[in-house]
Each structure stands twice: as C-alpha cells, then as structure tokens.
Amino acid sequence: MKFPKGLPRLIVGAVASLALAVPVVAFSLTTFPTETEAQQHCPKDVVVWLNLPTMIWHYKGMRWYGITKHGAYACEKEAGAAGARPTRNGQ
C-alpha cells in the first residue's frame, strides 16, 4: 500500500502528541532504617525489605530480608505503587 507523501510523519506526530498528553502520576516512597519504624508507619500493611537499586522486595524470613547493602524497610503497598515488585525466586 502506498501512503500519500507526508502521511507517515503526520501519524508519528499524532502518536507523539498523544504520548505527551498522558498524565504521569509521581508516587513518593517512604523508606525506613528499622522494621519497627516501618510498621508504625503502616500498621495494617506488610513490612518488606526493599533493595533500592533493583526495586525488588523481600518478605521477612527470606534470605535477603534486611541484609542487602543498599536497602530499606518499606510498606508493601507503597513499594508496589512506586513500581517495586516482589522477588521471583523466593529468596
């Protein structure tokens, strides 16, 4: 199929305009140096250990809970809303 001259550019421009019109919601993640502080912040949520560089969290009892070099305690729901995810290998 042949496109009229300039049509592909028009389509690309329209798609780029739509992408700019989508609102972006920023979410602030609160992290804590101790498990107790995190639990006080979110008493009805599960406290997880969040590895900050990878944004992967670990549950209490898992291998890396509380011991990764660059991590902090956080509330599971807040971590998920900020784009983090649970570990996939159960460690």
Side-chain angles (χ1 to χ4, degrees), residues 20-65:
L20 295 175
V22 175
V24 175
V25 178
F27 189 88
S28 176
L29 175 64
T30 306
T31 59
F32 302 91
T34 68
E35 186 176 9
T36 303
E37 290 177 89
Q39 194 61 64
Q40 289 173 350
H41 176 75
C42 52
K44 295 184 180 183
D45 197 4
V46 175
V47 173
V48 296
W49 177 258
L50 182 61
N51 187 342
L52 297 170
T54 62
M55 292 299 282
I56 295 174
W57 75 69
H58 307 274
Y59 295 104
K60 190 171 192 165
M62 290 183 160
R63 178 180 180 184
W64 300 111
Y65 185 83

